[in-house]
Amino acid sequence: MIDAILARADNGVIGVDGQLPWHLPADLKRFRALTMGRAMVMGRKTFESFRSPLPGRRHIVLTRDRDWRSDGAEVVHDPEAALALAGGQAAVIGGAEIFALLLSRIERVELTEVHATPAGDAFVPPFTGWVEAWREDHSAEGERPGYSFVTLLRQPTTA
């Protein structure tokens, strides 16, 4: 199964200057649980946003730069190669271009809806044509915005 795992603000922002524009420990914990032991497909900028490779996960990095290499990264140059290397079981974790490239192959979206409208430079449009299968809402606390954990499934096509 190919999943997308991301946090997205109400205005579509997923990042600013290569980082998340919010700090939600529960989202980070959920991300860890959803990706542990799995192959993660990501772009170069997403990989470079980590201080070091995340333990217990494979890092398949999709990049156009044929010369780019980094410790802990399995480098590929097209979406088919990324999915083949992952063996058809992957968590697509970003960034925006990678989500767009692989959207037609994603079967489930594990989304954290961040109820805020931060400034940003990376955006993902709303997921239209998907069915909400699960939701868990969390209220704002202090400086932390409210958020919702949501599971979306691809809407079945009708013949």
Side-chain angles (χ1 to χ4, degrees):
M1 175 173 283
I2 309 299
D3 300 333
I5 302 172
L6 71 149
R8 180 185 174 280
D10 291 339
N11 60 352
V13 168
I14 64 165
V16 62
D17 297 328
Q19 300 297 316
L20 296 173
W22 49 75
H23 180 68
L24 296 172
D27 176 54
L28 298 175
K29 183 178 178 180
R30 182 172 188 246
F31 176 85
R32 183 174 196 260
L34 290 169
T35 60
M36 188 55 68
R38 298 185 69 190
M40 300 183 305
V41 175
M42 69 200 79
R44 176 189 52 81
K45 291 178 188 174
T46 297
F47 180 83
E48 290 175 346
S49 74
F50 302 140
R51 291 183 194 152
S52 62
L54 302 176
R57 291 154 271 199
R58 290 177 61 198
H59 298 72
I60 300 172
V61 180
L62 179 55
T63 179
R64 290 182 290 262
D65 184 344
R66 299 268 175 193
D67 296 323
W68 186 85
R69 300 283 180 272
S70 185
D71 288 342
E74 299 175 60
V75 181
V76 295
H77 304 290
D78 64 73
E80 292 75 24
L83 296 179
L85 191 57
Q89 299 288 322
V92 179
I93 65 165
E97 288 183 56
I98 304 304
F99 289 127
L101 275 173
L102 293 171
L103 185 61
S104 67
R105 300 188 185 174
I106 292 169
E107 300 166 58
R108 180 175 62 198
V109 176
E110 294 293 352
L111 176 64
T112 299
E113 294 177 340
V114 180
H115 304 305
T117 55
D121 55 20
F123 299 85
V124 168
F127 291 93
T128 56
W130 292 74
V131 176
E132 185 174 308
W134 178 79
R135 171 179 291 270
E136 182 180 282
D137 297 319
H138 299 269
S139 300
E141 287 184 24
E143 297 293 313
R144 291 193 180 124
Y147 58 95
S148 300
F149 293 144
V150 181
T151 299
L152 302 172
L153 301 175
R154 184 171 293 284
Q155 186 167 330
T157 56
T158 54

